[in-house]
Amino acid sequence: MRTSLQFVANPPRGGWWVLLPAILAVYLILAWAAEGARLDLSELISGLPWIQDFIVRMLPPNLGYITERLVQPAIQTLQIALWGTVLSVILAVPVCFFAAKNLTPHPVVYHALRQILNVLRGINELILALIFVAAVGLGPFAGVLALALHGAGMMGKFFAEAIEEIDQGPLEAMRASGCSNAQTILFAVLPQVMPAWIGVVLYRLECNIRISAVLGMIGAGGIGFELITSMKMFEYENTAACILVILALVFATDIISARLRQMIR
């Protein structure tokens, strides 16, 4: 913040005009991206009546559909997200100590594990779910495996980065006193990283609840299956009920997660 204020208060050496090449470069990049993405405001405006028609068809939401059909799928969505998160933590924790620069036994191990985490994180959950649906069949188990594998890549990276940012003093003191690696991790590393790790896990759980609702649309169980079924049957009032349930799950998770983070702090 201080650097930003100094930059605003003090013009760059040579005057503000030296920034013109950078501004021009940003403009050209954005123009190139807009052309590739086919940004067209007129198409959006011409499509607004269709959006309005879709929303009108969803109103009023069929609230009775929630108690009739959506309670069990909503619970299953939570179960998918919960187990996807738990398995992610189980996979990420053993790896993250070897993927942290200050704890890894060798640079080759560090780089190899970081690339593995990048690969896991780089494959979208939907793609993983399609692979696991083909492997284990339709149902929530495929969704759990997809969330677990992708989440392991995400959390392994964040866990390792949290370890790299800890105070090195306690580590060096325990190593100098002859403590084993396990003792160093248990008494010098975990107490420092645990609050950050818990925050990451809670954030990942929030994301998994949102994503698990989408995974159901490709056959991985949960409320997403009911959502896509209602849309295919043109039962838009039921679609609106599904969206309301998904929003309720997300809001409830956000509130609970925020409370837990406050308790940790």
Side-chain angles (χ1 to χ4, degrees):
M1 177 63 74
R2 179 179 297 176
T3 304
S4 301
L5 292 175
Q6 288 176 347
F7 180 78
V8 173
N10 303 316
R13 185 177 300 175
W16 292 105
W17 66 270
V18 298
L19 297 177
L20 286 177
I23 296 172
L24 180 61
V26 171
Y27 170 77
L28 291 175
I29 291 172
L30 291 177
W32 166 76
E35 184 178 359
R38 298 181 180 178
L39 294 185
D40 191 343
L41 186 60
S42 62
E43 287 190 8
L44 174 62
I45 294 174
S46 62
L48 286 178
W50 295 100
I51 297 175
Q52 182 184 8
D53 178 66
F54 185 75
I55 294 174
V56 169
R57 288 170 184 265
M58 289 196 300
L59 298 175
N62 184 7
L63 298 179
Y65 189 68
I66 295 176
T67 53
E68 291 173 8
R69 294 287 301 275
L70 299 184
V71 174
Q72 182 58 35
I75 294 173
Q76 191 175 67
T77 297
L78 290 174
Q79 292 168 331
I80 294 171
L82 181 63
W83 265 107
T85 307
V86 170
L87 293 179
S88 297
V89 175
I90 292 174
L91 292 173
V93 167
V95 174
C96 69
F97 297 108
F98 299 96
K101 278 185 180 178
N102 51 349
L103 291 182
T104 188
H106 196 279
V108 174
V109 176
Y110 165 77
H111 288 292
L113 289 178
R114 279 303 181 107
Q115 293 310 313
I116 291 173
L117 294 176
N118 287 338
V119 170
L120 294 178
R121 195 174 66 255
I123 304 175
N124 188 271
E125 296 95 334
L126 290 174
I127 299 173
L128 290 172
L130 288 172
I131 294 172
F132 284 120
V133 164
V136 302
L138 296 171
F141 186 44
V144 171
L145 294 175
L147 293 179
L149 213 56
H150 183 82
M154 294 288 292
M155 284 197 275
K157 176 179 181 294
F158 287 122
F159 285 178
E161 289 179 351
I163 294 173
E164 291 174 352
E165 294 174 358
I166 63 175
D167 182 8
Q168 298 298 314
L171 271 73
E172 295 171 359
M174 294 197 69
R175 285 168 177 166
S177 60
C179 294
S180 65
N181 289 332
Q183 290 174 319
T184 303
I185 291 172
L186 188 61
F187 298 108
V189 176
L190 290 182
Q192 295 191 66
V193 300
M194 196 54 71
W197 281 16
I198 293 174
V200 171
V201 172
L202 292 174
Y203 176 72
R204 189 61 201 172
L205 179 62
E206 288 179 44
C207 294
N208 281 349
I209 288 176
R210 298 189 190 95
I211 298 165
S212 59
V214 178
L215 293 181
M217 300 176 73
I218 57 172
I223 199 169
F225 180 76
E226 299 293 333
L227 178 68
I228 194 66
T229 301
S230 65
M231 293 184 72
K232 287 181 178 177
M233 299 292 290
F234 303 104
E235 298 171 345
Y236 295 113
E237 297 89 352
N238 295 340
T239 302
C242 293
I243 294 173
L244 289 177
V245 172
I246 292 171
L247 290 175
L249 290 176
V250 171
F251 289 155
T253 307
D254 184 54
I255 293 172
I256 295 172
S257 176
R259 294 286 176 86
L260 290 175
R261 286 197 189 96
Q262 289 177 352
M263 291 171 63
I264 295 170
R265 292 170 187 168

